[in-house]
Amino acid sequence: QRISAVVLAVYSLVIVGFFLFNDVNYELWHGFMMSLPMKLFSLVAILSLVFHAWVGMWTVFTDYVKSSGLRLVLQSAVIIAILFYLFWGVMIFW
């Protein structure tokens, strides 16, 4: 989870740095985000976010939800949501 947090932090810094050091318009933003390095970095960031969210929610559920039935329902809902957002994020960039 620490590795995924570092990836997300670096990704955030790259995006913020892009806005700070450029006079951003649509063409520049589109070109930046659709370049192969940023597409790959965005994919790694999305995968890191999915992993980070799953580990975090799994930890919260196992620590605080004592009913195994309720925990299974909650974990299943989180898995479905995470997979939905993963596929949606991949579709946006590819």
Side-chain angles (χ1 to χ4, degrees):
Q1 195 170 20
R2 290 180 184 144
I3 294 171
S4 64
V6 169
V7 169
L8 293 171
V10 171
Y11 186 78
S12 297
L13 290 174
V14 167
I15 298 298
V16 168
F18 176 78
F19 278 102
L20 288 177
F21 296 110
N22 292 294
D23 184 27
V24 180
N25 57 32
Y26 176 77
E27 291 80 20
L28 184 62
W29 173 250
H30 185 267
F32 175 67
M33 291 306 291
M34 291 299 120
S35 67
L36 185 58
M38 272 313 290
K39 281 178 135 179
L40 293 174
F41 194 22
S42 296
L43 181 62
V44 170
I46 290 169
L47 292 172
S48 294
L49 182 62
V50 164
F51 176 75
H52 193 84
W54 170 246
V55 171
M57 293 308 297
W58 177 84
T59 302
V60 168
F61 291 150
T62 55
D63 286 349
Y64 297 108
V65 180
K66 299 304 176 191
S67 169
S68 60
L70 178 59
R71 186 170 51 240
L72 178 65
V73 169
L74 292 173
Q75 287 176 339
S76 298
V78 167
I79 289 170
I80 290 168
I82 285 174
L83 287 175
F84 174 78
Y85 290 126
L86 171 65
F87 291 128
W88 188 23
V90 170
M91 286 174 36
I92 288 170
F93 285 103
W94 295 93

